[in-house]
Amino acid sequence: MTSVMQSHLHKDRILILDFGSQYTQLIARRVRELGVYCELWAYDHTVEEIAEFSPSGIILSGGPNSMTDETPPRTPSGLFDMGLPVLGICYGMQCMTGMLGGEVETSNEREYGYAKVDVFNDGDGKGVLELGELEVWMSHGDRVSTLPDGFEIVGRSRNAPLAAIADTKRHFYGLQFHPEVTHTQHGDKVFGRFVLDVCGCAADWNAGNIIDASISSVREQVGNDHVILGLSGGVDSSVVAAMLHKAIGEQLTCIFVDNGLLRLNEGDQVMEAFAEHMGVKVIRVNAENRFLLALAGVSDPERKRKIIGGVFVEIFEEESRKIKDAKWLAQGTIYPDVIESAASRIGKAEIIKSHHNVGGLPDGMELKLLEPLRELFKDEVRKIGVELGLPEKMVYRHPFPGPGLGVRILGEVKKEYADVLREADAIFMEELYANDWYQKTSQAFAVFLPVKSVGVVGDQRAYEWVVSLRAVETIDFMTATWAHIPYEILGHISNRIINEVRGISRVVYDISGKPPATIEWE
């Protein structure tokens, strides 16, 4: 089960067993932020597989099930006999309790949202919580009613008398609340005490080590073969290009597909950054007409994603046949892509969206897949990019969807719409930079709405398109609030777009949070 990258890293690691919580990714991010490698697996792996991974500790996530169900999800038999520290969160705590002989009951009073936990026992300093009152985020209907043998009560809330429990001799800890979400006070300290102090992990998962391990891994996989990379100009593929260029040099050929759905002047910027400044071999394929033809008449966002991904793969196949010794197709897949796009083994996680670089390659494709960032979160990818010498403005720019403007144009995609949208979006970005708001927002972009609105341009009546501006602030992209950009800045942006972009008569600003809205419109 050990990954190719991990075979080059003799370091401590944490295993997270997922019971289907919407917050499980956040647990992994919190551990990685401590400088410790971790992986996220479905809960039903065997003890033998876990032993092969050789974790320093195990975290059990929350989940939507109940231990009072007839056949609730459980950890593999023997997990608690492996001699490893275990931290159970929410359902993970209840599962651990039930499997070790304690009892869980459905509470008459549920706890959702903010709560206060009184921590009155820190296990003589060997626990994961510090003494005192802690503001936390709860999300549960069940609660532990009877402790397993060896456990003590560590903390209580108004509706959960056993809100935190511990067996410090065996290093088993249970928390009814979610320390991984930003709403919980000092959640980072909770993970730090468990991962660094209890499990004894060394904080040596950093950009330099990741690069060294990735380069060794790539060289081992590829050998003397040639690699093709689909270079989009986005953060992920740009970092892959820089990494592979350092690892295998002339064995890399990048194929940059201009699909007509990129941002303003992005194609020229990509060629300048990589081909001219870094000396990377880049082939530019101008395929705007091909993509637009394939998308004609298609309005469903998921279908658009799949069509765009399919045409990308077709072009890569065609180009690969022209390159001698091409055996590998490299992609900028990152860990959240893998998690979001794959149906969970536990049958609870829904497929949120399709990514054109996840899910393998079509039957009969001659290239093998190379994904050197597949185990990394976005913040780790950015740090690696800076370490590899990429410009910070490129590395730290806002996320851009794989299908590009294809999913920021609502409804059918047409060249007219794409041209209007990219000009409006460029003005929006320019003004955010000029007013020091680009770095204050986590993601900002313009959306083309396929509706027309009456306006007055000069002294003439106009009946033209509408664009919406979207800007959000978020830490983890699981939740987001709309950015409170000052009215005078928004007004100036609106005036510029209407005056400078022919075909737009109205600009609106999206003030929806996530939830209930998503960040992207599609």
Side-chain angles (χ1 to χ4, degrees):
M1 298 297 297
T2 302
S3 69
V4 176
M5 182 188 291
Q6 281 299 291
S7 67
H8 296 278
L9 292 174
H10 303 290
K11 59 170 68 259
D12 304 319
R13 61 194 73 171
I14 297 294
L15 179 60
I16 302 164
L17 295 182
D18 181 21
F19 286 95
S21 169
Q22 61 180 317
Y23 303 130
T24 306
Q25 272 196 54
L26 302 184
I27 300 174
R29 289 193 59 184
R30 297 296 172 260
V31 175
R32 297 279 187 94
E33 288 167 359
L34 292 169
V36 177
Y37 182 78
C38 66
E39 287 191 13
L40 194 162
W41 294 7
Y43 70 88
D44 58 354
H45 281 271
T46 66
V47 168
E48 289 75 21
E49 290 172 325
I50 294 172
E52 183 182 350
F53 181 69
S54 189
S56 302
I58 294 174
I59 299 176
L60 309 179
S61 84
N65 296 97
S66 170
M67 281 299 290
T68 63
D69 294 341
E70 186 175 344
T71 56
R74 297 173 180 268
T75 65
S77 177
L79 175 74
F80 299 102
D81 297 321
M82 296 181 70
L84 295 172
V86 179
L87 171 62
I89 297 173
C90 198
Y91 180 82
M93 167 187 174
Q94 296 165 9
C95 176
M96 177 169 63
T97 296
M99 293 189 67
L100 292 175
E103 295 182 2
V104 177
E105 65 180 11
T106 298
S107 175
N108 292 327
E109 297 184 28
R110 302 182 178 187
E111 283 184 310
Y112 294 101
Y114 277 109
K116 292 184 178 180
V117 171
D118 175 27
V119 181
F120 56 87
N121 178 3
D122 67 350
D124 294 328
K126 298 177 182 178
V128 297
L129 299 177
E130 297 177 352
L131 295 174
E133 188 175 74
L134 188 65
E135 292 185 357
V136 303
W137 186 259
M138 292 282 196
S139 180
H140 69 97
D142 294 349
R143 65 185 186 184
V144 173
S145 57
T146 303
L147 287 177
D149 290 341
F151 278 79
E152 293 182 305
I153 304 174
V154 171
R156 54 181 166 242
S157 68
R158 187 171 65 87
N159 293 325
L162 285 70
I165 62 176
D167 179 340
T168 56
K169 291 184 179 179
R170 290 184 290 179
H171 303 300
F172 294 160
Y173 307 89
L175 305 176
Q176 186 58 71
F177 58 89
H178 290 272
E180 68 272 26
V181 302
T182 54
H183 305 75
T184 291
Q185 186 182 28
H186 305 313
D188 53 344
K189 291 184 179 180
V190 174
F191 286 108
R193 293 187 70 165
F194 178 73
V195 172
L196 303 178
D197 299 339
V198 175
C199 298
C201 293
D204 53 7
W205 176 254
N206 55 56
N209 288 342
I210 294 171
I211 291 171
D212 291 343
S214 298
I215 288 174
S216 297
S217 173
V218 167
R219 288 173 177 167
E220 180 180 311
Q221 285 183 276
V222 171
N224 295 321
D225 294 339
H226 207 92
V227 177
I228 297 173
L229 168 64
L231 180 60
S232 70
V235 174
D236 303 330
S237 69
S238 296
V239 173
V240 172
M243 180 183 292
L244 293 182
H245 183 62
K246 183 173 183 178
I248 57 177
E250 292 298 315
Q251 293 172 245
L252 170 67
T253 297
C254 294
I255 299 174
F256 171 58
V257 179
D258 188 341
N259 59 8
L261 303 172
L262 303 174
R263 289 165 285 200
L264 190 66
N265 301 322
E266 188 167 18
D268 294 338
Q269 292 168 1
V270 169
M271 295 301 294
E272 180 181 0
F274 288 93
E276 296 178 23
H277 291 171
M278 294 180 61
V280 179
K281 190 190 305 179
V282 183
I283 297 172
R284 183 172 183 172
V285 181
N286 294 311
E288 179 183 45
N289 291 337
R290 184 166 171 179
F291 279 90
L292 291 176
L293 183 62
L295 290 166
V298 179
S299 297
D300 179 74
E302 185 67 11
R303 280 193 63 202
K304 289 193 291 186
R305 282 183 175 273
K306 291 183 181 298
I307 288 170
I308 292 169
V311 175
F312 265 115
V313 171
E314 290 173 4
I315 292 173
F316 288 143
E317 272 197 290
E318 294 165 3
E319 295 299 324
S320 71
R321 298 190 186 102
K322 304 175 186 177
I323 300 173
K324 184 179 179 181
D325 299 325
K327 300 290 178 62
W328 296 86
L329 174 63
Q331 294 183 340
T333 308
I334 63 175
Y335 205 26
D337 295 342
V338 178
I339 296 169
E340 289 184 1
S341 296
S344 172
R345 286 179 55 182
I346 59 179
K348 295 298 178 185
E350 295 182 0
I351 297 178
I352 299 171
K353 57 186 176 181
S354 294
H355 293 263
H356 69 268
N357 58 342
V358 174
L361 300 173
D363 292 338
M365 187 168 188
E366 299 172 1
L367 301 178
K368 293 178 285 185
L369 204 55
L370 183 65
E371 298 175 314
L373 306 182
R374 189 180 177 89
E375 299 173 351
L376 305 179
F377 286 99
K378 178 72 77 173
D379 53 346
E380 295 172 317
V381 173
R382 294 187 195 278
K383 291 175 184 176
I384 289 172
V386 172
E387 187 85 7
L388 288 167
L390 292 175
E392 287 205 17
K393 191 170 183 179
M394 172 185 287
V395 172
Y396 282 96
R397 70 177 178 176
H398 292 172
F400 188 63
L405 301 183
V407 292
R408 290 181 177 173
I409 297 171
L410 301 193
E412 183 179 5
V413 178
K414 296 182 179 181
K415 178 174 172 53
E416 172 197 354
Y417 302 166
D419 289 342
V420 166
L421 179 57
R422 77 177 109 246
E423 288 188 47
D425 187 78
I427 291 172
F428 189 21
M429 296 306 105
E430 182 181 323
E431 290 298 328
L432 289 180
Y433 274 114
N435 290 279
D436 295 323
W437 266 91
Y438 188 85
Q439 297 301 336
K440 294 178 184 178
T441 56
S442 307
Q443 189 168 359
F445 53 91
V447 178
F448 180 89
L449 308 183
V451 294
K452 286 190 173 182
S453 172
V454 174
V456 178
V457 179
D459 293 324
Q460 295 184 334
R461 178 181 182 275
Y463 187 56
E464 296 176 324
W465 302 112
V466 179
V467 295
S468 176
L469 307 181
R470 175 72 157 153
V472 299
E473 299 173 5
T474 179
I475 295 175
D476 50 34
F477 287 86
M478 302 292 289
T479 61
T481 57
W482 61 277
H484 291 61
I485 299 173
Y487 293 149
E488 58 269 22
I489 297 176
L490 288 174
H492 179 62
I493 293 170
S494 175
N495 288 337
R496 279 199 61 191
I497 290 175
I498 292 173
N499 290 336
E500 298 176 30
V501 183
R502 188 176 297 275
I504 295 176
S505 65
R506 192 176 298 270
V507 176
V508 300
Y509 187 54
D510 182 355
I511 59 170
S512 308
K514 176 186 179 182
T518 56
I519 294 177
E520 294 282 351
W521 271 50
E522 61 172 313

